């Protein structure tokens, strides 16, 4: 099974929608790589514009709040993360289509309890998150420490897990149906 | 234990259950447009899977940016055209015959009670108005739909919303759905099918039911759904008359899909709309909704009437009631896009296009256009638009623009006054 994890970025807002993740004007692109520099271009956090290219340059994991990825069905939103090496999004909850698009691409949309999300948000410093898919365990370390600052369980639907292990829904369906 | 309409549709289409609450369904209709389909087509070609599961069950249209506005959108159209030709997809609607997918496909009779429908478009839930299970999906789901005719869903949980009362004059289906989204919030329907029932829904025509179901996704729902009845059967009659002896036979058959009396719901809500007044959104989320009469003076730069939510003939007739004999307020730009060629034609014949033009509106061809800020009426930074569309997200109609969602009556009222206005003040008794 592929390894997931890395440096975390925190997006502290509910209801971040797919128009904010990738504005519709870029939906005319027909290669995923062309989406790279437009990730989260229209995001407003606390009323300020978010400079994604700078703030997310090293990130491989996103931690966020409720209803992440609501709105348009555009899978471009998932691809925009994917081409920026972000293959794990951890949230309080997801919009259905966005969550399904993540697993369909063989990458992770993990829902955690509100209190566990809060524990992650309470960490300060550089946060590194590793995902142990076999044991369904998330570990967060701060500023390069060996010891975990936060560790928590998560649940993944066995079907979603199979999608991740075969690399996505097309590969799965082409073989099975 | 009885079943809901969604549970009945799932049971009738179940192909596989790969995990306890995951169901793989056979699809009756796979709808495609030129924004999310070309990447699916190219990926299938790359992987040596350029095939379609059933070319009679695939319906395709170029609607989001039409006519093409630049080389990239022209290429998206070309990929669709070449693919439709290669696979002999008969129901492909190109320029001259194209229109907004969720308005065009219903008027072609493509959606029937009990069907399963997907499209790479979140407003696919509109088609639930016909008693179908219709869900928006991403490009990978669309690819698998095109190639294999299946899609995965979690076991459907139903949120039943009963709408009682009697709508006042000047208040419409759009106001009802905005009020519902305000109440249940932008994720109140997540992973659920919202079933709309009650006397108000029973009295709604198909256009109104489509407006209701269209915005179910703004509450996060997988699909909106209405019980198929006489209204549904009469709308579909030109397409189903060979299958039934009478409309009553069709109604009787449709009833098999109806939610059983002893079905169970994960959530229920009953609202009375008798005192509902015209609604509009404020700020950037579709659940941020207020009574127009309570809004401080809000001037507008543009009024946009169209889209899969409110671009049907009934919507244009509503707007024309206000626009008749009136002019756009000084400095306000008016844009109307009838959602399909048939609607455009009807509006021409009924004199509605002339009403719009006499008022000073620009009449566009059928397209999704400015609703998602891709073309045909994008806002400049700091501009405000009164719009009959479905999303007021930050940047939706153009970076730095503000969109206020409202009914066609309210949008027309904003057009002639230059500010967001309760349309009841402008309607004749």
């Amino acid at each position: 099974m592929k390894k997931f994890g890395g440096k975390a970025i925190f997006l502290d807002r509910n209801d971040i929608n797919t128009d904010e993740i990738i504005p519709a004007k870029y939906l005319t692109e027909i290669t995923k790589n062309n989406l790279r520099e437009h990730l989260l271009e229209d995001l407003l956090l606390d009323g300020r514009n978010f400079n994604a290219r700078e703030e997310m340059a090293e990130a491989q994991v996103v931690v966020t709040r409720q209803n992440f990825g609501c709105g348009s069905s555009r899978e471009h939103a998932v691809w925009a993360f994917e081409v920026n090496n972000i293959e794990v999004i951890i949230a309080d909850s997801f919009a259905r289509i966005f969550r399904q698009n993540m697993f369909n691409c063989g990458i992770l949309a993990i829902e955690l309890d509100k209190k566990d999300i809060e524990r992650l948000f309470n960490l300060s410093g550089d946060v590194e998150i590793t995902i142990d898919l076999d044991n369904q365990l998330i570990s967060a370390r701060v500023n390069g420490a060996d010891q975990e600052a936060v560790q928590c369980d998560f649940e993944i639907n066995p079907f979603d897990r199979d999608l991740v292990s075969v690399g996505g829904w097309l590969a799965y369906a082409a073989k099975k149906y | 234990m009885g079943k809901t309409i969604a549970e009945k549709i799932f049971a009738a289409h179940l192909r596989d259950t790969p995990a306890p609450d995951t169901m793989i369904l056979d699809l009756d209709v796979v709808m495609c447009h030129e924004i999310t389909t070309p990447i699916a087509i190219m990926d299938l070609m790359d992987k040596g899977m350029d095939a379609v599961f059933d070319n009679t069950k695939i319906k395709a249209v170029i609607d989001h940016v039409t006519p093409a506005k630049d080389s990239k959108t022209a290429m998206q159209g070309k990929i669709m055209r070449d693919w439709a030709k290669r696979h002999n997809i008969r129901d492909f609607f190109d320029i001259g015959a194209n229109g907004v997918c969720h308005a065009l496909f219903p008027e072609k009779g493509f959606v029937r009670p009990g069907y399963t429908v997907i499209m790479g478009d979140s407003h696919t839930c509109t088609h639930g108005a016909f008693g179908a299970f219709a869900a928006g999906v991403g490009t990978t789901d669309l690819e698998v739909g095109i190639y294999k005719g299946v899609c995965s869903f979690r076991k459907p949980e139903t949120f039943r919303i009963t709408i009682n009362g009697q709508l006042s004059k000047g208040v419409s289906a759009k106001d009802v759905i905005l009020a519902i989204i305000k109440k249940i919030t932008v994720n109140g329907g997540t992973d659920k099918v919202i079933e709309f029932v009650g006397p108000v829904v029973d009295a709604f025509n198909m256009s109104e039911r489509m407006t209701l179901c269209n915005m179910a996704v703004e509450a996060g729902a997988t699909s909106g759904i209405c019980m198929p009845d006489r209204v549904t059967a009469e709308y579909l009659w030109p397409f189903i008359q060979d299958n039934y002896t009478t409309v009553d036979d069709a109604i009787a058959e449709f009833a098999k899909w109806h939610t059983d009396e002893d079905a169970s719901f994960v959530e229920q809500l009953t609202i009375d709309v008798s005192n509902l007044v015209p609604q509009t959104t404020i700020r950037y989320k579709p659940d941020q909704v207020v009574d127009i009469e309570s809004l401080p003076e809000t001037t507008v730069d543009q009024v946009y009437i169209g889209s899969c939510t409110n671009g049907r003939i009934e919507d244009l007739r509503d707007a024309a009631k206000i626009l008749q004999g009136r002019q756009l307020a000084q400095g306000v730009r008016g844009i109307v896009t009838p959602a399909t060629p048939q609607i455009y034609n009807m509006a021409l014949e009924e004199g509605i296009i002339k009403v719009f033009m006499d008022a000073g509106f620009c009449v566009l061809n059928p397209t999704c256009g400015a609703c998602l800020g891709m073309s045909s009426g994008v806002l400049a930074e700091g501009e405000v638009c009164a719009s009959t569309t479905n999303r007021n997200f930050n940047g939706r109609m153009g970076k730095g623009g503000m969109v206020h969602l409202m009914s066609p009556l309210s949008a027309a009222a904003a057009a002639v006054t230059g500010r967001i206005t309760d349309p009841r003040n402008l309607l004749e008794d």
Side-chain angles (χ1 to χ4, degrees):
Chain A
M1 184 87 77
K2 193 172 162 180
K3 294 277 175 225
F4 292 94
K7 186 177 182 309
I9 174 99
F10 292 81
L11 302 179
D12 192 2
R13 219 197 76 199
N14 292 335
D15 308 313
I16 292 175
N17 65 64
T18 54
D19 272 80
E20 294 174 295
I21 297 169
I22 188 82
K25 62 186 171 203
Y26 303 118
L27 303 186
T28 60
E29 299 297 343
I30 45 178
T31 68
K32 298 178 184 179
N33 280 330
N34 287 352
L35 304 173
R36 182 172 291 123
E37 59 187 278
H38 305 297
L39 175 67
L40 290 167
E41 196 171 277
D42 278 356
L43 180 65
L44 289 178
L45 284 181
D46 302 325
R48 73 180 170 97
N49 276 310
F50 174 79
N51 187 343
R53 295 191 70 184
E54 216 169 84
E55 302 188 42
M56 302 194 62
E58 309 278 308
Q60 287 169 291
V61 176
V62 167
V63 182
T64 185
R65 304 279 188 183
Q66 265 183 42
N67 198 29
F68 187 78
C70 59
S72 158
S73 63
R74 61 189 69 162
E75 199 161 304
H76 304 69
V78 167
W79 302 329
F81 283 113
E82 208 180 4
V83 296
N84 280 288
N85 299 316
I86 292 167
E87 298 190 326
V88 182
I89 300 180
I90 301 171
D92 188 320
S93 62
F94 290 93
R96 175 191 64 90
I97 302 173
F98 184 88
R99 184 190 61 219
Q100 183 145 324
N101 288 345
M102 288 286 286
F103 286 110
N104 280 348
C105 290
I107 59 179
L108 294 172
I110 298 176
E111 279 168 323
L112 284 186
D113 284 351
K114 213 178 228 43
K115 66 169 177 30
D116 287 329
I117 287 288
E118 207 53 56
R119 285 166 73 205
L120 292 174
F121 267 97
N122 285 339
L123 297 173
S124 54
D126 285 338
V127 178
E128 181 99 9
I129 288 180
T130 50
I131 313 292
D132 179 346
L133 209 46
D134 293 325
N135 297 306
Q136 303 191 16
L137 207 62
I138 288 177
S139 307
R141 291 176 177 80
V142 178
N143 296 332
D146 288 337
Q147 187 62 37
E148 303 90 12
V150 170
Q151 198 166 58
C152 53
D153 298 326
F154 67 93
E155 279 185 35
I156 180 169
N157 175 315
F159 171 70
D160 290 337
R161 207 190 123 85
D162 287 347
L163 295 186
V164 174
S165 72
V166 301
W169 171 229
L170 182 60
Y172 182 103
K175 199 168 161 202
K176 193 166 177 193
Y177 302 109
Chain B
M1 173 70 93
K3 285 181 174 162
T4 62
I5 182 168
E7 287 167 342
K8 290 182 184 184
I9 296 171
F10 271 52
H13 292 81
L14 188 63
R15 167 82 74 96
D16 188 17
T17 311
D21 61 352
T22 304
M23 302 166 99
I24 308 298
L25 303 187
D26 283 315
L27 300 171
D28 293 311
V29 185
V30 176
M31 298 175 173
C32 302
H33 67 53
E34 89 283 12
I35 298 301
T36 51
T37 314
I39 289 199
I41 295 168
M42 285 174 36
D43 191 51
L44 288 169
M45 288 172 77
D46 278 352
K47 293 183 167 131
M49 300 175 183
D50 181 27
V52 300
F53 83 109
D54 182 340
N55 62 0
T56 65
K57 292 182 175 175
I58 293 181
K59 314 294 175 186
V61 65
I62 293 175
D63 63 354
H64 274 57
V65 185
T66 179
K69 66 175 171 133
D70 55 19
S71 303
K72 286 180 177 175
T73 49
M75 184 51 73
Q76 288 179 309
K78 180 172 161 48
I79 293 168
M80 290 289 283
R81 264 175 222 121
D82 291 350
W83 170 74
K85 195 170 171 192
R86 193 159 71 241
H87 297 291
N88 192 23
I89 295 166
R90 207 179 50 232
D91 295 317
F92 169 58
F93 301 89
D94 204 343
I95 195 153
N98 60 0
V100 176
C101 50
H102 309 307
L104 183 74
F105 294 147
E107 75 181 27
K108 300 290 178 190
F110 292 157
V111 182
R112 311 285 170 79
Y115 270 20
T116 49
V117 181
I118 64 163
M119 183 172 197
D121 190 285
S122 60
H123 292 108
T124 307
C125 52
T126 311
H127 305 280
F130 290 85
F133 172 78
V137 297
T139 289
T140 303
D141 274 333
L142 183 68
E143 278 186 78
V144 173
I146 289 168
Y147 183 49
K148 291 289 181 182
V150 296
C151 194
S152 77
F153 291 97
R154 292 194 179 177
K155 211 169 115 198
E157 293 185 320
T158 297
F159 186 159
R160 169 175 274 201
I161 298 182
T162 307
I163 310 174
N164 290 331
Q166 179 106 39
L167 284 178
S168 315
K169 191 173 179 180
V171 184
S172 60
K174 181 64 160 286
D175 300 301
V176 173
I177 189 63
L178 287 173
I180 288 172
I181 296 165
K182 176 184 187 174
K183 189 148 186 101
I184 69 176
T185 79
V186 287
N187 60 350
T190 302
D191 282 317
K192 296 165 198 154
V193 173
I194 297 183
E195 187 175 296
F196 296 104
V197 298
V200 172
V201 185
D202 293 342
F204 272 169
N205 60 33
M206 286 314 301
S207 177
E208 293 167 312
R209 292 179 189 185
M210 283 191 257
T211 299
L212 208 53
C213 290
N214 174 272
M215 289 191 72
V217 71
E218 308 315 330
T222 308
S223 184
I225 205 161
C226 298
M227 300 304 139
D229 60 5
R230 178 170 298 279
V231 175
T232 325
E234 284 177 353
Y235 182 102
L236 289 174
W237 188 244
F239 311 102
I240 60 173
Q241 55 188 336
D242 294 340
N243 310 340
Y244 303 97
T245 320
T246 64
V247 170
D248 286 320
D249 288 345
I251 296 165
E253 209 255 340
F254 290 173
K256 74 178 184 196
W257 298 110
H258 287 194
T259 293
D260 296 328
E261 276 181 25
D262 55 344
S264 68
F265 305 100
V266 66
E267 219 168 325
Q268 293 198 64
L269 171 73
T270 301
I271 61 164
D272 190 304
V273 293
S274 300
N275 295 319
L276 184 67
V277 297
Q279 305 286 296
T280 185
T281 58
I282 51 169
R283 298 194 279 274
Y284 299 124
K285 290 198 311 172
D287 61 358
Q288 293 173 310
V289 174
V290 297
D291 296 348
I292 287 182
E293 60 188 7
S294 75
L295 194 68
E297 174 153 317
T298 306
T299 56
V300 302
D301 301 289
Q302 178 169 299
V303 171
Y304 186 88
I305 297 176
S307 85
C308 55
T309 317
N310 283 121
R312 284 173 286 271
I313 189 67
E314 293 83 352
D315 302 312
L316 305 190
R317 284 178 192 143
D318 267 359
K321 277 184 216 161
I322 302 267
L323 297 175
Q324 177 81 51
R326 294 193 174 100
Q327 294 284 310
L328 281 173
Q330 185 78 30
V332 175
R333 311 186 296 270
I335 297 172
V336 58
T337 162
T340 69
Q342 182 180 307
I343 294 165
Y344 200 136
N345 256 319
M346 288 171 82
L348 267 174
E349 282 167 12
E350 294 179 24
I352 290 171
I353 296 297
K354 183 163 166 48
V355 171
F356 275 102
M357 293 188 77
D358 287 348
F361 267 74
C362 162
V363 183
L364 287 181
N365 64 300
T367 179
C368 306
C371 170
L372 73 167
M374 288 195 79
S375 62
S376 309
V378 177
L379 300 176
E381 186 141 10
E383 286 191 327
V384 176
C385 183
S387 178
T388 68
T389 56
N390 42 53
R391 287 194 173 126
N392 55 335
F393 297 157
N394 177 38
R396 174 75 177 180
M397 282 183 103
K399 198 174 176 92
M402 172 60 78
V403 181
H404 294 279
L405 306 177
M406 61 188 72
S407 71
L409 283 168
S410 300
V416 298
T417 60
R419 58 185 195 282
I420 297 178
T421 300
D422 191 324
R424 292 175 301 170
N425 304 334
L426 298 174
L427 282 172
E428 286 167 25
D429 287 326

